[in-house]
């Protein structure tokens, strides 16, 4: 038994890049006192939906494949319809993150899919409150939120770099910040 507030990040990663982002989200969430955060692979979560009932916040993460979530993540989404029927995750805090190889790469489509998914479950979506990090002459690719997202956390992993090199620190710091934000929101919402 723990009296800590549970945060679970459900993610899929085909080649390991989004997993790096998920681990940064996890570390950010666990950096907040009173939070017990963990990762769940989407396939595992699809087969263990009740585990997610314990969470005050669920963060959804998927690579952007063909402008939306991966098929593997979508399988989890479809499996969750059993919870949707009973609105079992209603009023939980929700957030989302995605990673792709192009700077834009149609990542917004993925975050929109995740936010609509959360809304269908009656969840409370929390966006990213960081200003754009690279939209002026004083900004650079080294700044947090260099992708300039608001709906959730974005990362870019260059197509010819492995997960040992990509996504870069700025995107991992963004994910860490976002995980902490979701954790704080969960604590406040659950109070
Ligand atoms: C099937 C497939 C579709 C993809 N579609 C996109 C896309 O729409 N936009 C983009 O920028 N990158 C796209 N990519 C590149 C991935 O998003 C990128 O390689 C990402 O880092 C993969 O994350 P992962 O290692 O967690 O699977 C695609 C890759 C695959 C395998």
């Amino acid at each position: 038994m723990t009296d800590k507030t549970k945060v679970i990040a459900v993610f899929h990663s085909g080649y390991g890049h989004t997993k790096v982002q998920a681990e940064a989200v996890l570390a950010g969430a666990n950096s907040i006192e009173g939070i017990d955060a963990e990762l769940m692979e989407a396939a595992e979560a699809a087969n263990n939906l009740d585990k997610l009932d314990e969470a005050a916040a669920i963060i959804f993460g998927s690579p952007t494949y063909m402008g939306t979530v991966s098929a593997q993540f979508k399988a989890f989404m479809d499996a969750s319809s059993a919870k949707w029927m009973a609105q079992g995750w209603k009023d939980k805090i929700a957030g989302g993150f995605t990673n792709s190889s192009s700077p834009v790469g149609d990542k917004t489509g993925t975050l929109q899919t995740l936010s609509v998914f959360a809304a269908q479950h009656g969840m409370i979506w929390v966006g990213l409150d960081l200003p754009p990090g690279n939209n002026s002459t004083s900004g650079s690719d080294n700044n947090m939120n260099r992708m300039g997202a608001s709906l959730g956390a974005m990362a870019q992993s260059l197509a010819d770099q492995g997960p040992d090199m990509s996504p870069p620190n700025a995107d991992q710091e963004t994910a860490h910040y976002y995980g902490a934000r979701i954790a704080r929101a969960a604590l406040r919402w659950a109070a």
Side-chain angles (χ1 to χ4, degrees):
M1 275 297 279
T2 172
D3 56 3
K4 291 190 170 182
T5 298
K6 193 94 191 159
V7 174
I8 300 179
V10 178
F11 76 101
H12 169 251
S13 180
Y15 306 92
H17 302 87
T18 311
K19 186 172 185 186
V20 171
Q21 193 184 19
E23 284 167 348
V25 165
L26 175 73
N30 273 327
S31 73
I32 303 300
E33 196 176 338
I35 291 291
D36 174 23
E38 67 178 275
L39 295 181
M40 274 182 94
E41 299 260 5
E44 180 196 350
N47 291 320
N48 195 3
L49 294 173
D50 289 345
K51 169 85 178 164
L52 294 169
D53 293 353
E54 300 167 15
I58 309 174
I59 313 173
F60 304 113
S62 172
T64 292
Y65 287 173
M66 309 313 293
T68 186
V69 296
S70 64
Q72 292 88 338
F73 194 88
K74 185 62 164 59
F76 157 73
M77 290 170 64
D78 290 358
S80 80
S81 63
K83 285 289 170 194
W84 173 84
M85 292 281 283
Q87 286 289 286
W89 298 341
K90 183 173 148 56
D91 289 344
K92 292 185 186 302
I93 294 288
F97 60 91
T98 190
N99 159 74
S100 83
S101 56
S102 296
V104 174
D106 301 309
K107 284 190 273 283
T108 295
T110 305
L111 292 182
Q112 285 175 339
T113 295
L114 294 176
S115 61
V116 169
F117 172 62
Q120 287 203 345
H121 277 286
M123 301 172 80
I124 315 293
W125 185 267
V126 176
L128 179 68
D129 61 331
L130 287 171
N134 191 18
N135 70 343
S136 72
T137 51
S138 61
S140 87
D141 252 351
N142 297 323
N143 293 345
M144 284 202 292
N145 199 22
R146 69 189 179 111
M147 298 281 124
S150 307
L151 201 47
M154 289 184 178
Q156 179 193 11
S157 296
L158 297 175
D160 56 353
Q161 289 187 336
D164 54 325
M165 296 179 73
S166 247
N169 281 345
D171 296 347
Q172 293 184 45
E173 286 166 12
T174 305
H176 189 283
Y177 177 93
Y178 188 60
R181 171 167 166 79
I182 298 284
R184 278 193 298 270
L187 287 174
R188 200 179 309 155
W189 187 249

